[in-house]
């Protein structure tokens, strides 16, 4: 069974501070990992995925297969980063790729 | 990418009634999904809406409670039947579509509708 764990329900930091949103997963295989973000009053949207190895809005996430983690990081948080962040895993199940989501971490960046 | 719209955006319903939520996509997609996001909880997949066949339900969800239609490749509906206050939630439609990175790779990505906020009194 695949599972995604986001241990922090809420993360509160000050502007300019580093941010790390934790995500651990459980999957017997090679999954695809994603981070989704939901800003206030907006729809859920893809932030980044591990396969692309890119930085979006200053955020990066490295897949660590040894630790089964996919933590989301940003060196200097901005107020506009305040949002709900969901880590998700997608792996083949019965021929399809149905993602599993973590419960989400609410990030609040104070001025 | 895919642009998804949902109707209604929100509704307040009485116990015992039913509500049908519509999901429209601007392009043809193979897979459409319905999720539920209860307060303080993660996204939970209700079912996969299949075009031309019955929806595939996840554990804990049944067709009698959440009937789904998928008449074509751009549209789906989810009905929440015989509602109770425990059904109060945000219901999200999602589709799987190709995402391309600079033309060198393409994989499936999920896109989400804006959600329908349901309150059952």
């Amino acid at each position: 069974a695949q599972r995604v764990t986001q241990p922090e329900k809420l993360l509160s930091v000050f502007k300019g501070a580093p941010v790390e949103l934790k995500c651990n997963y459980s999957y017997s295989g090679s999954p695809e990992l994603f981070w989704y973000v939901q800003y206030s009053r907006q729809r859920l949207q893809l932030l980044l995925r591990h396969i692309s190895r890119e930085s979006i809005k200053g955020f990066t996430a490295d897949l660590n297969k040894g630790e089964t983690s996919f933590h989301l990081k940003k060196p200097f948080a901005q107020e506009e980063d305040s949002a709900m962040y969901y880590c998700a895993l997608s792996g083949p199940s019965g021929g399809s790729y149905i993602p599993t989501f973590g419960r989400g971490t609410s990030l609040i960046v104070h001025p | 990418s895919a642009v998804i719209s949902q109707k209604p955006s929100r509704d307040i319903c009485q116990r015992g009634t039913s509500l049908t939520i519509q999901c429209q996509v601007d392009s043809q997609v193979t897979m459409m999904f319905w999720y539920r996001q209860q307060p303080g909880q993660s996204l939970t997949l209700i079912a996969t809406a299949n075009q031309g066949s019955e929806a595939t339900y996840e554990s804990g969800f049944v067709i009698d409670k959440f009937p789904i239609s998928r008449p074509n490749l751009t549209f789906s509906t989810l009905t929440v039947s015989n509602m109770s206050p425990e059904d109060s939630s945000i219901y999200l439609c999602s589709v799987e579509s190709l995402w391309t990175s600079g033309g060198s790779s393409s994989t499936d990505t999920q896109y989400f509708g804006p959600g329908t906020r349901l309150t059952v009194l």
Side-chain angles (χ1 to χ4, degrees), chain B residues 59-119:
Chain B
S59 175
F61 298 96
V62 295
I63 189 172
D64 290 344
K65 175 67 177 177
F66 297 101
I68 287 171
S69 78
R70 180 84 195 273
N72 55 53
L73 292 175
T74 64
F75 186 78
S76 177
T77 67
L78 168 75
T79 299
V80 186
S81 304
N82 188 25
M83 289 184 284
S84 66
E86 292 71 36
D87 294 320
S88 297
S89 186
I90 295 174
Y91 291 85
L92 287 155
C93 171
S94 169
V95 304
E96 195 169 84
S97 184
L98 276 179
W99 171 84
T100 304
S101 169
S104 60
S105 65
S106 61
T107 53
D108 294 317
T109 297
Q110 286 216 318
Y111 297 90
F112 292 85
T116 296
R117 184 181 293 273
L118 170 62
T119 302

Side-chain angles (χ1 to χ4, degrees), chain A residues 43 49 86 98-99 101-103, chain B residues 4 37 42 45 107-109:
Chain A
R43 68 185 64 195
R49 54 197 301 161
Y86 292 91
I98 307 296
F101 288 82
R103 66 172 179 174
Chain B
I4 306 167
Q37 184 180 20
S42 172
L45 180 63
T107 53
D108 294 317
T109 297

Side-chain angles (χ1 to χ4, degrees), chain B residues 29-30 48-55 68-73 75:
Chain B
V29 293
T30 304
T48 303
N50 305 307
Q51 198 271 328
S53 64
E54 273 196 7
I68 287 171
S69 78
R70 180 84 195 273
N72 55 53
L73 292 175
F75 186 78

